[in-house]
């Protein structure tokens, strides 16, 4: 039974790492990628809708994103959503498509992106620690229902080792992203 608690905790921690990677992929590192627009929600017929569900997003070159809406009436809504976002990009609307030119990052913007990266990392670490707490609570409940204190302590130590491994993974992912952002 305690093994299932540890396995469940590991699976949840892996999902926290995947969520961190997904969040970091939406940060601009000087190259155009459709994932930059993943967090942008467009108010479309009264409900928030992701841009990639309203338009085709292409990268004609390494510094440009081309957004081609399937419904031309949504063009202004998409443009407005991009302007409101924290991307710091100005869309160019030609009547049927939107072009986003990705400028080279300034040193100041790189610093802001590194701070945002660290914020995402800290949120992932908090999520992993919460998972550890939940798993330890489950082990303590099992201690009341039949496993010994020594077994309980051993399982809690294993959960702590797993937590440390995943926190180190978060640090590794953050370091990789920070290097990518600071690359000139």
């Amino acid at each position: 039974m305690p093994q299932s608690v540890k396995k469940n905790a590991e699976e949840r921690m892996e999902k926290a790492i995947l969520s961190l990677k997904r969040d970091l992929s939406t940060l601009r590192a000087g190259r155009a990628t459709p994932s930059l627009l993943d967090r942008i929600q467009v108010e479309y017929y009264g409900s928030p809708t992701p841009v990639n569900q309203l338009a085709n997003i292409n990268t004609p070159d390494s510094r440009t994103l081309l957004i081609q809406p399937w419904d031309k009436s949504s063009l202004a809504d998409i443009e407005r959503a991009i302007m409101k976002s924290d991307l710091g990009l100005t869309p160019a609307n030609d009547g049927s498509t939107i072009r986003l030119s990705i400028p080279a990052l300034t040193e100041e913007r790189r610093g802001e992106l590194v701070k945002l990266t660290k914020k995402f990392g800290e949120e992932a670490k908090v999520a992993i620690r919460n998972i550890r707490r939940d798993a330890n609570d489950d082990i303590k409940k099992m201690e009341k229902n039949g496993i010994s204190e020594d077994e309980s302590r051993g399982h809690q130590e294993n959960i702590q080792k797993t937590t440390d491994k995943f926190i180190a993974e978060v640090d590794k992912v953050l370091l990789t992203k920070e290097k990518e952002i600071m690359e000139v």
Side-chain angles (χ1 to χ4, degrees):
M1 192 70 140
Q3 294 303 327
S4 65
V5 170
K6 183 179 182 236
K7 186 175 190 292
N8 181 32
E10 279 185 11
E11 289 172 359
R12 290 176 59 201
M13 288 179 189
E14 285 173 9
K15 288 178 184 175
I17 297 287
L18 290 175
S19 176
L20 171 66
K21 288 179 180 178
R22 188 175 46 254
D23 287 344
L24 291 179
S25 74
T26 65
L27 293 179
R28 180 165 67 107
R31 289 185 294 280
T33 174
S35 64
L36 287 176
L37 303 175
D38 283 354
R39 288 185 293 149
I40 296 180
Q41 298 283 317
V42 178
E43 193 67 32
Y44 187 65
Y45 288 112
S47 65
T49 309
V51 173
N52 60 6
Q53 292 181 10
L54 297 174
N56 197 14
I57 303 170
N58 296 314
T59 53
D61 59 58
S62 66
R63 296 257 183 221
T64 307
L65 281 175
L66 185 66
I67 304 167
Q68 299 169 311
W70 294 307
D71 178 8
K72 300 297 181 210
S73 66
S74 67
L75 195 67
D77 295 331
I78 293 171
E79 187 176 17
R80 196 173 311 113
I82 292 170
M83 296 274 263
K84 286 182 184 176
S85 74
D86 62 350
L87 286 177
L89 300 174
T90 305
N93 180 348
D94 68 5
S96 62
T97 61
I98 296 174
R99 250 180 223 287
L100 289 175
S101 295
I102 312 293
L105 293 174
T106 63
E107 193 64 34
E108 180 182 326
R109 182 67 179 148
R110 288 177 196 276
E112 290 172 12
L113 289 174
V114 167
K115 285 181 186 176
L116 194 55
T117 300
K118 289 181 180 186
K119 177 182 160 247
F120 285 143
E122 198 54 45
E123 289 171 359
K125 288 179 182 180
V126 167
I128 288 171
R129 290 181 190 121
N130 286 339
I131 294 166
R132 175 192 62 195
R133 185 198 60 226
D134 293 344
N136 283 340
D137 289 347
D138 290 344
I139 295 292
K140 288 175 186 173
K141 286 177 188 171
M142 288 179 192
E143 185 178 331
K144 293 177 184 173
N145 296 331
I147 66 170
S148 69
E149 282 185 42
D150 289 339
E151 282 180 292
S152 173
R153 193 172 310 117
H155 290 298
Q156 289 178 28
E157 287 172 6
N158 284 338
I159 290 170
Q160 182 60 46
K161 287 177 186 172
T162 302
T163 302
D164 293 341
K165 179 180 87 172
F166 280 99
I167 297 261
E169 176 71 19
V170 166
D171 289 335
K172 190 171 94 175
V173 168
L174 289 178
L175 188 63
T176 304
K177 187 64 178 183
E178 285 178 27
K179 284 182 182 176
E180 182 183 324
I181 289 171
M182 296 309 284
E183 192 176 282
V184 179

